[in-house]
Amino acid sequence: MIKSLRGRLFAGLTAIILLTGLIGGLFAHHWAFNEAIEMQDSVLIQIASLVQAGSLTGGRELHGVDEDAEVWLIDQAATPQASGDEARLWSVKDGLALATRKGQPIRVLLRTRPDGTRFAVAQRTSVRDEIASDMAFRTVLPIAALIPCLLLVTAIVVARSLRPMVRLADDLDGRRADDMTLLPAGQMPSELHPFIASINGLLQRVGLLMDQQRRFVADAAHELRTPITALSLQAENLDAVDLPANARGRVVALRQGIGRTRHLLDQLLALARQDAGQDDTRAMPVVKLDDVAKEVVADLLPEATGRGVDLGFARLEPALVRGEAVILAAVVRNLLDNALRFTPQGGRIDTCVYRDGDAALLQIEDSGPGVASAELGRIFDPFFRGQRPAGDGAGLGLSIVKRIVDRLEGTIEAVNLAEGGRSGLRVLVKLPGADA
Ligand SMILES: Nc1ncnc2c1ncn2[C@@H]1O[C@H](COP(=O)(O)OP(=O)(O)OP(=O)(O)O)[C@@H](O)[C@H]1O
Ligand SMILES: [Mg+2]
């Protein structure tokens, strides 16, 4: 059973074409053959009429009536003492008949002249058949030649008719997972309309569900921020209170826990806000990526210096992109935050911003341990933190970055640095460059 619709259509149509061609060819051959035989009979009749009228006289065998067709004129007068086949020939009545001559089957037309003498116009059956087959074959030839052309046209028509379906599938396959844009039914064949309507219905429902979920996460994170802020204020107030030494240690742990929770809520909010943002990059303002990076690096410099990490730019060139300064800053901040977290004291973090052709590039290289190669493919997944997480991460930073980069129609890749015995992670973000 052929699974593909195209294959099935083509096989069915091919069978029909071949069958029609075969039946048509057989009938055409049969008719043409009979017609040719009849035509040759009428030639015999015409020759006989000419002979009878005296316009054609000949000897024992008349050639030249029709050289190729091997038509003979046999006069009974020329063979008075006939025997065998010849004698049997003259015993046949006037008219068309089948006979044998010199051991070969022939078609003869016998006639009697007014003076009583008889003659025969004869033709070898094998020659007649050959001529008839030839003519029949020439009738069938165009049909046979037409079949490959028909098959070719069928293949083209089938492929063309199914192309909208293939295009539809490609469109769906090539989509981002969260792209809920409805499929256009306009130029599609009407047979596909119910199908497209169903898919669009599904897309709408899934979109609605995703919106609800996003709003829920955003609301929950937002609602949780107020009590967490209150909690952290209370914990800070505890600093002023005279506490025994062991209780002070607990307060520090408590404040760290609250800090982690706040960070998680901030990341969740950032993610939810990112998902709810508008999708059309062309409507976004042009932002100087180099300026954004400079600001974030300046912000993080005190922390880096405090940790003994050399944070700076290895390359800083003007690079314009379409986006929002806040979300671009979130990209740079999350990447630098990771680099800082994983780079040991005395290490360095090199930031590069530059333009390469049509793309604006942001590259961050640290001198930390890098990411285990088995984990490299998963670090952009939400809540993934790997085997050796450092610090109080929520595991959301890179997934936020990835979503932002996707939305800005850019790409992001992370590779471990291995050259020259050094370790570390290099993250390269490529965004479509914009013009001023
Ligand atoms: N520069 C890096 N060096 C080594 N490992 C890294 C680096 N950046 C990311 N990773 C690995 O990828 C994981 C996911 O990073 P991601 O930024 O998404 O989460 P996080 O930093 O743990 O938490 P968050 O960013 O939400 O605070 C990290 O937990 C870590 O295992
Ligand atoms: Mg992070």
Side-chain angles (χ1 to χ4, degrees):
M1 189 68 191
I2 306 169
K3 281 264 173 64
S4 113
L5 203 57
R6 195 187 327 200
R8 237 188 275 177
L9 263 176
F10 188 64
L13 289 171
T14 303
I16 292 173
I17 290 171
L18 289 180
L19 208 68
T20 317
L22 195 72
I23 295 174
L26 281 177
F27 272 106
H29 187 276
H30 182 74
W31 287 326
F33 188 87
N34 287 347
E35 200 66 27
I37 294 285
E38 273 174 34
M39 247 169 65
Q40 293 183 94
D41 279 348
S42 63
V43 168
L44 295 187
I45 292 168
Q46 276 169 26
I47 293 172
S49 305
L50 287 174
V51 173
Q52 206 156 19
S55 341
L56 205 68
T57 50
R60 187 179 136 67
E61 291 185 7
L62 179 87
H63 279 275
V65 176
D66 190 339
E67 212 61 70
D68 292 332
E70 283 194 43
V71 178
W72 312 304
L73 175 65
I74 311 164
D75 223 316
Q76 194 183 15
T79 54
Q81 287 102 34
S83 61
D85 283 345
E86 206 96 347
R88 229 172 291 138
L89 177 66
W90 299 121
S91 66
V92 179
K93 275 190 292 173
D94 276 9
L96 280 162
L98 288 171
T100 326
R101 187 168 186 256
K102 294 177 186 163
Q104 285 182 333
I106 53 166
R107 179 79 162 161
V108 284
L109 174 63
L110 285 136
R111 282 284 160 89
T112 308
R113 292 197 188 90
D115 61 3
T117 56
R118 297 191 78 197
F119 67 92
V121 185
Q123 193 178 18
R124 213 164 61 215
T125 312
S126 60
V127 176
R128 286 162 60 88
D129 286 354
E130 202 183 299
I131 293 170
S133 298
D134 224 36
M135 283 173 78
F137 175 69
R138 258 176 264 167
T139 321
V140 176
L141 209 59
I143 299 180
L146 210 62
I147 288 179
C149 302
L150 275 177
L151 290 180
L152 186 73
V153 171
T154 310
I156 294 172
V157 170
V158 168
R160 284 209 165 197
S161 313
L162 293 181
R163 200 177 297 160
M165 234 153 82
V166 177
R167 231 184 295 137
L168 201 67
D170 286 348
D171 175 9
L172 281 172
D173 281 346
R175 277 181 180 219
R176 265 178 19 212
D178 59 346
D179 185 357
M180 297 294 150
T181 326
L182 300 187
L183 294 171
Q187 300 115 23
M188 292 291 169
S190 53
E191 288 82 357
L192 285 180
H193 285 190
F195 185 59
I196 293 175
S198 302
I199 294 186
N200 280 346
L202 186 70
L203 283 173
Q204 269 170 332
R205 288 199 296 278
V206 173
L208 214 68
L209 211 71
M210 274 171 57
D211 271 351
Q212 275 173 359
Q213 214 166 16
R214 257 180 234 142
R215 223 168 302 134
F216 175 77
V217 172
D219 289 351
H222 191 76
E223 289 301 315
L224 280 169
R225 271 183 71 147
T226 322
I228 290 292
T229 310
L231 263 182
S232 86
L233 271 176
Q234 294 295 344
E236 265 166 43
N237 288 345
L238 279 178
D239 278 351
V241 181
D242 207 8
L243 286 173
N246 60 347
R248 202 153 280 288
R250 302 259 166 91
V251 169
V252 171
L254 186 67
R255 283 179 61 178
Q256 273 173 357
I258 293 172
R260 267 202 298 276
T261 313
R262 237 168 106 155
H263 175 66
L264 171 63
L265 290 180
D266 283 346
Q267 294 284 64
L268 276 176
L269 257 177
L271 195 62
R273 223 177 275 138
Q274 168 51 37
D275 283 342
Q278 59 156 315
D279 261 336
D280 189 7
T281 32
R282 279 162 306 174
M284 293 179 184
V286 174
V287 179
K288 290 181 179 161
L289 183 61
D290 45 316
D291 279 359
V292 171
K294 252 194 290 190
E295 271 171 43
V296 177
V297 168
D299 265 1
L300 292 175
L301 213 49
E303 191 188 333
T305 317
R307 290 191 182 203
V309 171
D310 175 15
L311 168 64
F313 282 98
R315 186 171 175 187
L316 183 63
E317 291 165 18
L320 297 178
V321 292
R322 282 205 180 271
E324 290 145 22
V326 201
I327 64 167
L328 287 167
V331 170
V332 185
R333 183 179 296 277
N334 266 300
L335 295 179
L336 283 179
D337 179 64
N338 285 350
L340 258 179
R341 203 179 297 169
F342 287 94
T343 304
Q345 198 171 15
R348 57 181 295 150
I349 299 171
D350 288 327
T351 310
C352 297
V353 178
Y354 58 97
R355 178 92 186 224
D356 181 19
D358 280 341
L361 282 90
L362 164 73
Q363 178 185 289
I364 291 166
E365 267 181 27
D366 62 45
S367 60
V371 177
S373 47
E375 291 177 356
L376 257 182
R378 300 183 53 201
I379 55 174
F380 296 105
D381 293 349
F383 300 108
F384 181 78
R385 297 201 60 213
Q387 291 291 335
R388 37 169 195 220
D392 302 333
L396 285 174
L398 286 180
S399 57
I400 294 171
V401 170
K402 173 92 168 96
R403 287 204 200 179
I404 294 175
V405 172
D406 279 350
R407 213 184 89 194
L408 298 181
E409 283 157 18
T411 58
I412 182 166
E413 56 179 23
V415 287
N416 282 312
L417 297 171
E419 321 107 52
R422 64 180 286 209
S423 69
L425 191 73
R426 174 193 291 151
V427 183
L428 180 64
V429 176
K430 248 187 221 179
L431 294 172
D435 297 311

